[in-house]
């Protein structure tokens, strides 16, 4: 695919202005574009070499720079001889040129005498211009100038670049911990070597890539300040020339690099001066970095890679996916551990390299920032992680639990689910439905294992408070964010914003936070102290709760904007019940199930007099029926459109309800509610002949002549939920569909009011808590990007692309044959109690149950794509992935002046080594 910005010219170029000859000549001196150096193309006003530097310097300054020649150090005496200018005036011009980044300086000579250098564009002048905030504010086109000059000179040359980069650009240097035990490593492969070499001379300065991308709204939402660590004389340069530099200690430099690793940023060093010199150690985000882009876009890893390659110990790997989430190169993906049915291993494709075939634009990946985030090979991975809407690392926390690492297991769960204790009681267990073990006997009791782990949160001494991972070196973010609705979606959004370094405020109209898990789920299913414990974790993370405040009534979104709130996440759920539209439904004794559950949450002494009919066939209807029993109704009859075999309620829930004496009958729909003096006396049902039409749409059909009547005093309607907006969106230009569901982007959850995001049931309609939790995390990602100006809400997002392995084509030979463990129930808790009778598995049962996991998923590394950064090793908690020094020649560092010799030589070598392909007509 050809460059989509080929021929790009900024609006700042005026066609009626004459070209400045000095700028054109300077551009030719500095550029590395082969087309210009070979005379095949001329520099014009439309060339980036021209429009990138024309606004920054005068013609006189351009003439000074031309005389310096590229990368030739010049002392003051040299400069006076070259220019013939007065010393004071010359120094003034050199200072101005240094400040805008056209030239740099150092003291690298025997006399330690200051000398000036005309650098290349990248790394060099384009970066320096982008580090100067004043320059970038006055000339935002410099952002695109950097982008252009980090690409155009390299489009044709990258396939020929040998290992080590041949003196071009930047070079990945591994995480120190990942190679500290490597006996064959050489000094230049260690960050400590470079810190020792420039001991005491470091300066943290802004990342030019991060700042450049922001000029065209492709920022990554990191705070750009401080990620680039200038070393040696470059430290003085970035401090003295308005490049935002500040001197730091070695300890501060190490702390920056540790924070970078926590965020998944890649360490890179400059690679244009041979093995005895670098001038910066950068901490790069692949979503913005131009050095990483070169190898990723052109699929030519030699441009970046270190001498190391990641390898997976499959026996230790549990396919938790942490390495996959952070791999900048897309080299690490999820696959399977189990053999195929014929005993063979799945063969995973590798990225072809230029040494293997002729290279061209058809091999490029313009959208590499998205493609590199794909999680799973097409052949699939562990079904449990795939099936979970939040894609929790199920195998990972099961393995940790088997090792007694319960706190680690809880931490791992919270990477994707901040409410594991709640989910342990109310999850619909899609992971278990998909579990490979279920093809042998019974699925692993995944939910019960998670519940056991999550119970640590109930104790202040054992609960897990996540460490904040903030992509800013200034401390936490100060932008104010409002989360409206304290249900699972809102709590999840607030959690992940807090983890990122924000202090969001959650507004909840009810007296307690929790949303439907408090007001829509009875305590005998989920005790409220469990919800409170998980909310306490959020409070400790800095989340503020304002309960009893209804936004739209007590305060408006507009007023919150006036108070400085920059973004709003609406996760109010569907807290209203639906009526059924039959005569008599306004009578005394008729109530929606949602309303009834809310009442009984606040008052467990609430009484129902007389028999009750519950209409509905879902899990909520089951909860309503069981609550009615506890409220004293002598007889509860639950009737649904769906027959027993297709009822949406889970079989376990139906079984529990029937054990409590609830009569469940399917295949009937309400026809009329019978009343006397305004009070319910009974209900007439009509036979439902079909629930859905031929296309699978809900379209019930009835036999109006086939009826049944049930006498009763109470009717509880649990046939669906509705959004109760109140005045929340008054004055806001939100678009709706299908009634009153808000329209929002399906990836970012952003509405057409840019600062309003939605998620959970209010967006998707009623689902399960885990679905809302997954949506809340995505909302937090979007809001973080939104409130950091000029960031892309979409580029480089995790696509959550998971494919289930083929359970029909696997070989399972040896496995633990223990039976599925089931928790006990508390004695003495009957059907008249609102207390939960559920126990967790014992620790002994946990050890038995965790061994039943087949461990069917594993991580796979494409060695051809790996750049050897070692970030994967910092995320693995199972000692399953390590760096090995497979490519020692990648540590050979060359000077830029020698690059053509090595590049052309390697290009010829590759051409001769490629398989001969006969041309066909």
């Amino acid at each position: 695919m050809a460059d989509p910005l080929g021929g790009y010219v900024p609006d700042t170029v005026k066609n009626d202005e004459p070209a400045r000859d000095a700028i054109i000549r300077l551009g030719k001196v500095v550029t590395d574009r082969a087309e210009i150096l070979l005379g095949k193309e001329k520099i014009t006003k439309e060339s980036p070499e021209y429009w990138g530097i024309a606004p920054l310097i005068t013609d006189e300054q351009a003439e000074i720079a031309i005389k310096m020649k590229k990368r030739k150090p010049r002392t003051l005496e040299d400069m006076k001889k070259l220019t013939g200018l007065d010393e004071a005036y010359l120094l003034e011009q050199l200072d101005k040129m240094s400040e805008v980044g056209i030239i740099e300086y150092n003291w690298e000579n025997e006399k330690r005498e200051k000398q000036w250098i005309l650098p290349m564009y990248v790394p060099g002048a384009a970066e320096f211009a982008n580090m100067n905030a004043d320059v970038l504010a006055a000339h935002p086109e410099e952002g695109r100038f950097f982008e252009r000059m980090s690409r155009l000179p390299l489009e044709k040359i990258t396939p020929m670049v040998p290992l080590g980069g041949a003196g071009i650009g930047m070079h990945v240097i591994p995480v120190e911990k990942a190679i500290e035990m490597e006996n064959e490593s050489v000094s230049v492969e260690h960050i400590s070597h470079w810190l020792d070499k420039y001991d005491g001379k470091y300066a943290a300065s802004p990342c030019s890539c991060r700042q450049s991308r922001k000029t065209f709204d492709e920022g990554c939402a990191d705070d750009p300040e401080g990620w680039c660590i200038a070393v040696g004389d470059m430290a003085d340069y970035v401090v003295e020339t308005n490049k935002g530099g500040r001197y730091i200690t070695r300890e501060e430099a190490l702390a920056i690099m540790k924070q970078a690793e926590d965020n998944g940023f890649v360490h890179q060093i400059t690679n244009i001066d041979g093995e005895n010199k670098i001038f910066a150690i950068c901490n790069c985000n692949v979503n913005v970095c131009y050095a990483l882009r070169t190898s990723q876009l052109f699929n030519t890893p030699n441009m970046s890679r270190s001498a190391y390659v990641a390898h997976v110990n499959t026996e230790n790997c549990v396919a938790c996916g942490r390495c996959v989430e952070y791999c900048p190169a897309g080299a690490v993906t999820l696959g399977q551990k189990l053999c195929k049915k014929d005993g063979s291993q799945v063969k995973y494709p590798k990225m072809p390299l230029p040494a293997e075939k002729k290279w061209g634009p058809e091999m490029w990946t313009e959208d590499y920032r998205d493609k590199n985030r794909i999680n799973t090979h097409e052949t699939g991975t562990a079904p449990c992680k795939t099936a979970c809407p939040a894609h929790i690392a199920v195998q990972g926390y099961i393995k940790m639990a088997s090792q007694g690492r319960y706190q680690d297991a809880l931490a791992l769960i919270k990477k994707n689910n901040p409410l594991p204790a709640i989910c342990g009681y109310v999850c619909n267990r899609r992971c278990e439905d998909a579990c490979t073990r279920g093809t042998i006997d019974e699925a692993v009791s995944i939910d019960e294992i998670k519940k056991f782990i999550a119970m640590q949160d109930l104790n202040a001494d054992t609960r897990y408070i996540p460490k904040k991972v903030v992509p800013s070196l200034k401390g936490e973010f100060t932008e104010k964010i409002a989360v409206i609705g304290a249900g699972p979606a809102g709590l999840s959004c607030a959690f992940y914003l807090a983890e990122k370094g924000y202090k969001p405020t959650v507004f909840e109209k009810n007296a307690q936070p929790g949303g439907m898990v408090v007001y829509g789920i009875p305590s005998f299913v989920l005790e409220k102290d469990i919800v409170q414990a998980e909310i306490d974790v959020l409070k400790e993370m800095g989340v503020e709760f304002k309960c009893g405040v209804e936004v739209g009534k007590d305060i408006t979104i507009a007023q919150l904007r006036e108070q400085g709130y920059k973004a709003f996440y609406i996760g109010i759920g569907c807290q209203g019940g639906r009526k059924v539209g039959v005569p008599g439904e306004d009578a005394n004794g008729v109530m929606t199930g949602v309303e009834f559950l809310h009442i009984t949450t606040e008052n467990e002494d609430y009484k129902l007099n007389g028999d009750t009919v519950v209409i509905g066939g879902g899990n909520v209807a089951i909860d309503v029926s069981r609550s009615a029993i506890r409220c004293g109704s002598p007889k509860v009859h639950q009737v649904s459109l769906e027959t027993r075999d297709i009822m949406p309620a889970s079989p376990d829930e139906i079984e529990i309800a029937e054990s409590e004496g609830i009569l469940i009958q399917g295949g009937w729909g309400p026809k009329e509610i019978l009343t006397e003096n305004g009070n319910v006396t009974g209900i007439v049902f009509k036979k439902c002949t079909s629930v859905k039409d031929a296309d699978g749409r809900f379209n019930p059909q009835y036999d109006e002549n086939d009826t049944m009547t049930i006498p009763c005093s109470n009717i509880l309607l649990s046939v669906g939920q509705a959004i109760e907006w109140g005045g929340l969106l008054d004055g806001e230009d939100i678009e709706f569909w299908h009634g009153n569901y808000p329209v929002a982007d399906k990836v970012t959850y952003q509405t057409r009011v840019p600062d309003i995001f939605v998620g959970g049931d209010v967006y998707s309609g009623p689902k399960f808590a885990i679905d809302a939790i997954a949506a809340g995390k995505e909302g937090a990602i979007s809001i973080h990007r939104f409130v950091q100006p000029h960031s892309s809400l979409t580029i480089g997002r995790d696509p959550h692309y998971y494919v289930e392995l083929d359970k029909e084509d696997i070989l399972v030979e040896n496995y633990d044959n223990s039976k599925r463990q089931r928790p006990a129930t508390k004695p003495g808790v009957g059907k008249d109690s609102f207390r939960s009778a559920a126990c967790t598995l014992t620790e002994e049962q946990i050890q038995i149950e965790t061994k039943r996991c087949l461990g069917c998923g594993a991580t796979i590394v494409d060695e051809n794509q790996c750049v050897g950064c070692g970030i994967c090793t910092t995320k693995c908690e199972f000692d399953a992935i390590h760096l090995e020094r497979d490519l020692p020649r990648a540590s050979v560092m060359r000077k830029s002046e020698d690059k053509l010799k090595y590049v052309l030589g390697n290009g010829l070598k590759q051409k001769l080594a490629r398989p001969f392909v006969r041309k066909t007509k």
Side-chain angles (χ1 to χ4, degrees):
M1 178 181 176
D3 180 4
L5 285 171
Y8 171 84
V9 180
D11 295 339
T12 53
V13 175
K14 303 293 191 294
N15 289 326
D16 57 348
E17 291 180 355
R20 295 160 58 191
D21 179 65
I23 303 297
I24 289 175
R25 288 187 289 113
L26 176 58
K28 188 166 183 179
V29 169
V30 179
T31 192
D32 280 328
R33 276 211 284 164
E35 297 90 340
I36 292 172
L37 295 175
L38 296 173
K40 294 181 178 180
E41 185 178 321
K42 291 183 178 181
I43 292 178
T44 68
K45 287 193 308 178
E46 286 75 30
S47 304
E49 290 91 343
Y50 182 93
W51 54 257
I53 61 174
L56 305 183
I57 56 173
T58 65
D59 285 356
E60 182 182 26
Q61 291 167 347
E63 295 289 357
I64 293 172
I66 290 168
K67 291 181 173 69
M68 293 174 70
K69 297 185 180 178
K70 183 168 69 172
R71 284 175 54 83
K72 302 290 184 183
R74 308 291 186 179
T75 64
L76 182 57
E77 286 304 312
D78 295 333
M79 293 300 301
K80 286 162 65 177
K81 289 177 184 177
L82 284 173
T83 65
L85 296 173
D86 170 75
E87 182 175 310
Y89 182 74
L90 175 59
L91 283 171
E92 181 186 350
Q93 300 308 307
L94 293 175
D95 285 346
K96 289 179 178 178
M97 294 165 69
S98 298
E99 183 157 319
V100 297
I102 291 297
I103 61 174
E104 59 178 291
Y105 55 74
N106 60 42
W107 291 262
E108 294 174 8
N109 52 58
E110 289 184 1
K111 295 181 180 180
R112 288 296 292 164
E113 188 176 353
K114 189 174 184 177
Q115 57 188 19
W116 289 264
I117 304 101
L118 175 67
M120 58 179 66
Y121 285 132
V122 179
E127 287 175 295
F128 298 148
N130 277 266
M131 291 168 71
N132 187 321
D134 293 336
V135 167
L136 211 53
H139 305 288
E141 69 272 18
E142 296 305 312
R144 187 62 81 178
F145 170 54
F146 184 16
E147 182 274 325
R148 291 286 80 196
M149 295 317 298
S150 61
R151 172 171 179 149
L152 296 177
L154 298 172
E155 288 187 337
K156 294 183 174 61
I157 201 173
T158 50
M160 298 185 286
V161 173
L163 285 166
I168 300 174
M170 304 284 288
H171 174 71
V172 169
I173 188 165
V175 170
E176 185 96 357
K177 275 189 174 182
I179 63 169
E180 59 188 0
M181 303 301 290
E182 174 60 61
N183 293 328
E184 296 182 358
S185 68
V186 295
S187 59
V188 297
E189 296 167 356
H190 291 264
I191 290 173
S192 56
H193 164 77
W194 298 107
L195 293 178
D196 290 343
K197 183 177 179 65
Y198 297 102
D199 188 34
K201 207 67 177 297
Y202 323 115
S205 55
C207 170
S208 50
C209 293
R210 286 172 171 88
Q211 299 209 138
S212 164
R213 293 276 192 177
K214 287 175 70 175
T215 64
F216 46 92
D217 296 326
E218 286 190 10
C220 59
D222 301 344
D223 182 340
E225 298 296 326
W227 294 113
C228 182
I229 301 174
V231 296
D233 293 343
M234 182 57 68
D236 294 323
Y237 176 74
V238 300
V239 170
E240 296 170 355
T241 59
N242 198 27
K243 304 293 187 300
R246 58 181 176 88
Y247 292 115
I248 58 173
T249 65
R250 184 190 184 101
E251 289 69 30
E252 287 175 301
L254 289 170
I256 288 171
M257 285 185 276
K258 175 60 168 65
Q259 190 168 341
E261 291 166 12
D262 290 345
N263 277 278
F265 302 155
V266 177
H267 306 313
Q268 294 194 91
I269 55 177
T270 52
N271 192 31
I272 61 174
D273 293 299
E275 65 179 10
N276 290 317
K277 177 186 175 182
I278 66 170
F279 56 82
I281 305 170
C282 296
N283 295 288
C284 306
N285 185 324
V286 70
N287 281 353
V288 291
C289 177
Y290 294 130
L292 289 172
R293 175 182 71 164
T294 304
S295 61
Q296 301 302 295
L297 189 156
F298 300 124
N299 289 314
T300 51
N302 284 358
M303 283 291 304
S304 298
R305 67 184 359 167
S306 77
Y308 295 84
V309 175
H311 293 271
V312 175
N313 178 340
T314 306
E315 288 305 308
N316 290 356
C317 180
V318 294
C320 70
R322 297 287 290 155
C323 56
V324 175
E325 293 166 27
Y326 283 92
C327 177
V332 185
T333 46
L334 291 175
Q336 70 182 59
K337 187 182 296 187
L338 299 176
C339 295
K340 299 173 71 174
K341 190 170 281 187
D342 62 7
S344 65
Q345 296 283 345
V346 174
K347 287 186 169 63
Y348 295 100
K350 291 188 177 181
M351 181 185 76
L353 296 173
E356 301 167 359
K357 62 184 296 184
K358 187 176 180 181
W359 221 244
E362 71 280 0
M363 304 304 298
W364 298 353
T365 307
E366 292 289 346
D367 57 348
Y368 69 95
R369 291 175 287 180
D370 298 322
K371 291 285 177 61
N372 282 0
R373 300 267 61 82
I374 290 174
N375 311 80
T376 312
H377 279 286
E378 291 294 341
T379 51
T381 191
C384 52
K385 186 174 178 70
T386 299
C388 174
H391 305 294
I392 300 169
V394 174
Q395 276 187 209
Y397 72 73
I398 288 177
K399 173 61 75 174
M400 285 174 167
S402 75
Q403 298 167 343
R405 298 166 59 192
Y406 304 127
Q407 183 81 180
D408 290 340
L410 184 55
L412 183 59
I413 292 170
K414 288 191 177 184
K415 298 296 182 185
N416 297 92
N417 177 3
L419 309 173
I422 291 172
C423 277
Y425 285 88
V426 301
C427 189
N428 65 326
R429 306 180 182 186
R430 277 170 267 184
C431 52
E432 294 185 19
D433 291 341
C435 178
T436 307
R437 179 68 190 238
T439 64
I440 297 172
D441 43 29
E442 290 186 278
V444 175
S445 191
I446 297 168
D447 198 50
E448 292 296 340
I449 296 171
K450 177 178 67 194
K451 187 190 298 183
F452 174 90
I453 294 166
M455 285 304 100
Q456 295 174 95
D457 267 351
L458 270 66
N459 187 330
D461 294 331
T462 58
R463 68 173 45 134
Y464 174 70
I465 311 298
K467 174 189 172 185
K468 297 192 176 189
V469 181
V470 185
S472 170
L473 296 170
K474 294 177 183 175
E476 297 186 12
F477 294 107
T478 58
E479 288 80 5
K480 296 174 70 174
I481 298 165
V483 175
I484 303 170
L491 294 176
S492 175
C493 182
F495 176 96
Y496 290 110
L497 284 169
E499 187 183 48
K500 189 67 79 173
Y502 295 89
K503 289 184 169 61
T505 302
V506 180
F507 295 88
E508 169 58 52
K509 71 178 182 179
N510 291 308
Q512 300 178 55
M516 291 300 282
V517 297
V518 168
Y519 293 99
I521 297 175
S523 293
F524 56 79
V525 174
L526 174 63
E527 292 282 13
K528 303 318 172 199
D529 62 331
I530 293 171
V531 181
Q532 187 58 52
E534 304 217 282
I535 288 167
D536 287 343
V537 171
L538 271 75
K539 289 179 177 178
E540 289 198 45
M541 294 173 69
V543 178
E544 180 183 5
F545 288 87
K546 292 189 176 182
C547 293
V549 178
E550 183 175 347
V551 179
K553 178 181 178 184
D554 302 310
I555 193 168
T556 66
I557 288 177
Q559 289 170 329
L560 289 172
R561 286 194 190 100
E562 291 173 2
Q563 294 179 17
Y565 285 89
K566 302 298 183 185
F568 304 88
Y569 184 78
I570 298 178
I572 62 171
C574 297
Q575 294 199 28
R578 294 185 183 277
K579 297 291 186 73
V580 289
V582 298
E585 67 178 1
D586 294 327
N588 295 327
V590 179
M591 192 186 306
T592 67
V594 170
E595 183 183 2
F596 175 66
L597 291 174
H598 193 124
I599 290 169
T600 55
T601 295
E602 295 184 319
N603 178 16
E604 292 181 355
D605 293 327
Y606 182 82
K607 295 300 179 185
L608 288 175
N609 297 311
D611 294 346
T612 299
V613 172
V614 176
I615 300 175
N619 285 334
V620 175
I622 296 286
D623 288 343
V624 171
S625 295
R626 295 181 66 199
S627 295
I629 287 283
R630 285 156 176 79
C631 288
S633 190
K635 185 185 296 181
V636 176
H637 197 141
Q638 182 174 327
V639 182
S640 67
L641 291 175
E642 300 88 357
T643 51
R644 175 68 175 269
D645 56 324
I646 60 170
M647 276 181 69
S650 69
D652 287 350
E653 293 289 317
I654 296 171
E655 184 179 334
I656 291 171
E658 290 183 327
S659 73
E660 294 183 351
I662 296 163
L663 177 62
I664 296 176
Q665 189 167 358
W668 298 88
K671 181 173 184 177
E672 180 186 4
I673 294 172
L674 305 176
T675 65
E676 185 176 316
N677 299 322
N679 298 312
V680 170
T681 60
I683 181 169
V684 179
F685 288 93
K686 53 189 175 182
K687 188 68 176 176
C688 179
T689 57
S690 64
V691 179
K692 297 180 180 179
D693 61 21
D695 296 322
R697 290 189 294 262
F698 182 74
N699 185 20
Q701 301 298 310
Y702 303 97
D703 181 350
E704 299 285 348
N705 297 317
D706 189 353
T707 64
M708 72 170 179
T709 301
I710 302 175
C712 62
S713 301
N714 312 289
I715 295 174
L716 303 176
L717 308 173
S718 189
V719 294
Q721 295 163 239
I723 304 169
E724 293 183 338
W725 286 111
L728 175 57
L729 295 178
D730 289 357
E732 303 295 335
D733 187 25
I734 301 293
E735 182 182 0
F736 295 92
W737 73 284
H738 195 61
N740 61 349
Y741 285 99
V743 173
D745 184 272
K746 64 182 181 179
V747 172
T748 67
Y749 295 101
Q750 185 181 38
T751 67
R752 71 178 180 186
V753 179
D755 62 356
I756 295 179
F757 298 77
V758 296
D761 289 359
V762 78
Y763 173 72
S764 64
K767 285 192 173 183
F768 294 90
I770 190 64
D771 297 280
I773 286 166
K777 183 174 184 180
E778 292 304 306
I781 292 168
S782 295
I783 288 172
H784 165 56
R785 291 178 176 215
F786 174 77
V787 300
Q788 301 305 318
H790 307 293
S791 301
S792 168
L793 268 63
T794 57
I795 291 174
R797 287 181 80 119
D798 186 338
H800 304 297
Y801 182 79
Y802 292 93
V803 179
E804 181 181 293
L805 59 80
D806 184 358
K807 286 183 284 195
E808 299 298 317
D809 188 17
I810 55 172
L811 183 64
V812 182
E813 296 181 295
N814 300 309
Y815 58 90
D816 186 287
N817 61 5
S818 301
K819 294 188 179 298
R820 177 177 167 120
Q821 301 296 294
R822 286 172 169 78
T825 56
K826 297 174 186 174
V829 180
K831 66 179 183 179
D832 59 343
S833 173
F834 272 94
R835 302 285 62 79
S836 172
C839 292
T840 60
L841 294 174
T842 65
E843 191 162 1
E844 182 182 8
Q845 286 180 301
I846 287 293
Q847 292 307 307
I848 296 171
E849 189 62 27
T850 54
K851 288 179 174 59
R852 298 183 65 245
C853 176
L854 300 175
C856 49
T859 292
I860 308 298
V861 176
D862 182 346
E863 293 93 344
N864 284 0
Q865 279 186 279
C866 178
V867 295
C869 66
I871 290 297
C872 55
T873 68
T874 70
K875 306 306 173 187
C876 181
E877 297 188 59
F878 300 92
D879 195 34
I881 192 162
H882 301 93
L883 293 188
E884 296 180 16
R885 196 169 183 265
D886 295 348
L887 306 168
R889 288 189 299 122
S891 290
V892 177
M893 301 172 73
R894 308 289 187 187
K895 289 188 175 182
S896 176
E897 286 71 19
D898 299 330
K899 63 189 171 200
L900 285 181
K901 174 174 63 175
Y902 295 105
V903 168
L904 295 176
N906 190 63
L908 179 60
K909 182 180 175 182
Q910 288 182 159
K911 185 175 182 180
L912 293 174
R914 286 187 201 117
F916 176 74
V917 179
R918 186 180 299 277
K919 290 185 177 179
T920 57
K921 293 183 179 180

